[in-house]
Amino acid sequence: MRKNKALFTLLGTSVLLFSCAMSLSRDEATELLDKIVLRVSEGDFEVPETYSYSEHVTYTESTPREVDVNYSYAKTSKYHYMHCKTITKTGSRDVSDTTGTYKVTETETIDEYYYLDPAATEKTFITYISKEVDWVSDESVSLPNPHSKEILEFNEVIGESALSFWETKMNENMGDRYSKNISKVATECDEFLKSLYANHDVYVKDSKYSSLGEGNLDMFVVTYGHGEEKSVTAVFDQYLVKRYDIRNPQMIKTSTYNWNNVKYIYPDLADARSEMDTEAASSIAQLS
């Protein structure tokens, strides 16, 4: 009973928040975006120390492809952590099929970890990158090895230099890459709305703007021009972008941000250490 009561309370709160959202005109939404852009570009604006990001992109081209990105980042007094998992699905489409469906023929998964081990007694920086590929057999041919896994990089740095190695890797690999989107997405949305006033070749088919107050905005815009339909969906809360979706004839992209929220996942290093031991033993044998 207590769970149901909590659920009803949560639903009631959601309904209250939704009912309090005020519809805005495009002018009002643009004015609000101007303020968001200005605020997030100020020097005293606090960028979250931890966050996670997810993205799904479907490329609507002759060779169909889908990409999923799940990313987590933290730089706090306790955690120095970055994890990025990228899954790319490539397929083939029957040219006679007009439904847009296709068969996935290859799935590639890249798992990247860069972190200071929080369980280590001495500062330890770990780099671990693995790659897995799954192939789907053709109807006429069966693949002998439909799955492969390869450890692309594994390295441990122990001691006082561990932290500096983490910093170096973050600089090399654009570690804190998505926090820049706090400003970038707000600016893109602001410029997009302003462009609708000047571009008379683009027709706004549908649009909705609403807000719960300063720093908060929901926007949805569908345009048609030059023979193409495009749509933009964006959500901002407390000046931070929470969602940003783009749809056009070339691609469909959905992205979500969870600020001040990250789930720490660590790799199983047993295979990597075993592989290193095997390589070391082989090197010693060759020298002897």
Side-chain angles (χ1 to χ4, degrees):
M1 182 67 182
R2 184 176 296 173
K3 289 183 178 179
N4 289 338
K5 184 177 179 181
L7 177 60
F8 291 140
T9 302
L10 178 60
L11 290 173
T13 303
S14 300
V15 171
L16 179 62
L17 287 172
F18 182 77
S19 64
C20 291
M22 294 181 59
S23 295
L24 303 178
S25 66
R26 190 199 305 170
D27 287 345
E28 291 171 324
T30 305
E31 183 180 350
L32 187 52
L33 270 172
D34 284 340
K35 293 179 180 178
I36 292 174
V37 171
L38 181 63
R39 180 69 188 97
V40 298
S41 62
E42 291 175 346
D44 63 342
F45 182 79
E46 292 187 11
V47 175
E49 293 181 323
T50 66
Y51 64 91
S52 58
Y53 170 83
S54 62
E55 170 186 295
H56 178 80
V57 187
T58 300
Y59 295 95
T60 53
E61 50 193 17
S62 56
T63 302
R65 187 163 54 98
E66 292 184 45
V67 180
D68 284 285
V69 176
N70 286 284
Y71 171 94
S72 298
Y73 178 85
K75 185 179 181 182
T76 68
S77 58
K78 183 177 180 181
Y79 294 101
H80 289 71
Y81 174 90
M82 195 274 263
H83 173 223
C84 185
K85 186 173 185 177
T86 305
I87 301 174
T88 304
K89 295 180 180 179
T90 307
S92 62
R93 179 184 291 119
D94 189 336
V95 292
S96 62
D97 188 349
T98 59
T99 64
T101 59
Y102 67 93
K103 177 184 177 182
V104 174
T105 56
E106 179 182 300
T107 301
E108 178 188 84
T109 303
I110 303 289
D111 235 347
E112 301 176 71
Y113 294 87
Y114 308 93
Y115 63 94
L116 292 183
D117 188 350
T121 54
E122 189 176 0
K123 281 185 181 178
T124 303
F125 167 64
I126 293 175
T127 300
Y128 177 87
I129 306 173
S130 68
K131 174 183 176 181
E132 294 187 57
V133 182
D134 290 283
W135 295 274
V136 177
S137 301
D138 185 84
E139 293 180 359
S140 59
V141 180
S142 178
L143 294 172
N145 299 304
H147 175 83
S148 72
K149 180 175 181 179
E150 179 184 3
I151 298 172
L152 301 179
E153 184 177 352
F154 173 60
N155 191 29
E156 289 180 291
V157 177
I158 301 174
E160 290 304 314
S161 59
L163 180 57
S164 63
F165 268 83
W166 186 84
E167 295 282 4
T168 300
K169 279 292 185 181
M170 291 301 95
N171 290 331
E172 291 175 353
N173 297 283
M174 294 175 60
D176 189 11
R177 67 192 71 166
Y178 294 109
S179 69
K180 298 176 178 62
N181 288 3
I182 293 173
S183 175
K184 179 183 176 183
V185 173
T187 301
E188 284 183 6
C189 290
D190 194 33
E191 292 176 348
F192 168 68
L193 289 189
K194 289 175 179 176
S195 72
L196 297 177
Y197 293 98
N199 195 342
H200 302 296
D201 295 330
V202 175
Y203 164 65
V204 179
K205 291 183 64 176
D206 192 13
S207 63
K208 294 183 178 69
Y209 311 97
S210 63
S211 175
L212 292 168
E214 197 162 305
N216 177 278
L217 175 67
D218 285 29
M219 60 175 278
F220 169 69
V221 183
V222 182
T223 63
Y224 183 83
H226 308 290
E228 295 184 350
E229 182 174 288
K230 301 178 182 180
S231 70
V232 174
T233 302
V235 177
F236 299 87
D237 188 37
Q238 297 181 352
Y239 298 96
L240 297 169
V241 57
K242 302 296 290 294
R243 177 184 171 190
Y244 187 42
D245 302 345
I246 300 172
R247 186 185 186 105
N248 58 47
Q250 290 73 45
M251 71 170 187
I252 302 169
K253 177 180 177 180
T254 61
S255 54
T256 57
Y257 303 79
N258 289 299
W259 303 105
N260 297 305
N261 187 356
V262 60
K263 182 178 181 180
Y264 298 99
I265 302 171
Y266 296 98
D268 183 353
L269 302 178
D271 288 345
R273 290 198 171 105
S274 175
E275 189 172 301
M276 282 189 66
D277 291 343
T278 301
E279 290 178 356
S282 176
S283 298
I284 293 173
Q286 290 177 5
L287 289 172
S288 61

